[in-house]
Amino acid sequence: MEIQKENRNIHDHQRRQMAAKFELKRKLFKAFIRDPDLPTEVREQQQYKLAKLPRNSSFTRLRNRCIFTGRPRGVYQFFRMSRIVFRELASRGALNGIKKASW
């Protein structure tokens, strides 16, 4: 694997760890912000705290990537590999329980 593709996977892994770490805080701040019964000042404080969290801790910044090639498109989420690698491994018989359909 090329160094650049390896770095993409490393950055993606770091983002996933950070998102998991700050998930509870983000949900708490968002719940405060959405509550219409709270005073405006409290909601603004929570909005400020949410904005101060690291950007990479947001789940929207995650990207499904192939764990073998780093390819961002055509990735099967269940297997975490691209369609190209999946087909190659399935053709070789390297994936248990997967075989080419024929009827």
Side-chain angles (χ1 to χ4, degrees), residues 32-92:
F32 278 125
I33 293 166
R34 289 189 191 120
D35 189 3
D37 297 332
L38 290 176
T40 313
E41 298 110 20
V42 174
R43 291 167 61 188
E44 286 176 359
Q45 286 174 350
Q46 300 304 318
Q47 178 69 41
Y48 179 76
K49 289 180 182 179
L50 180 66
K52 282 296 175 186
L53 291 178
R55 284 186 173 192
N56 283 339
S57 68
S58 175
F59 277 101
T60 57
R61 292 182 62 106
L62 298 181
R63 178 79 176 163
N64 287 334
R65 289 191 177 273
C66 174
I67 56 174
F68 296 106
T69 61
R71 181 181 167 86
R73 295 178 179 218
V75 176
Y76 293 127
Q77 196 170 6
F78 184 76
F79 296 101
R80 300 244 353 238
M81 64 179 76
S82 70
R83 59 185 174 80
I84 300 163
V85 174
F86 180 83
R87 182 172 179 182
E88 185 180 315
L89 291 176
S91 296
R92 276 196 261 148

Side-chain angles (χ1 to χ4, degrees), residues 13-27:
H13 181 68
Q14 289 172 344
R15 281 185 179 148
R16 287 180 188 279
Q17 286 180 330
M18 192 173 286
K21 179 180 174 184
F22 287 99
E23 179 181 14
L24 190 62
K25 277 188 180 181
R26 278 190 170 277
K27 286 186 177 182

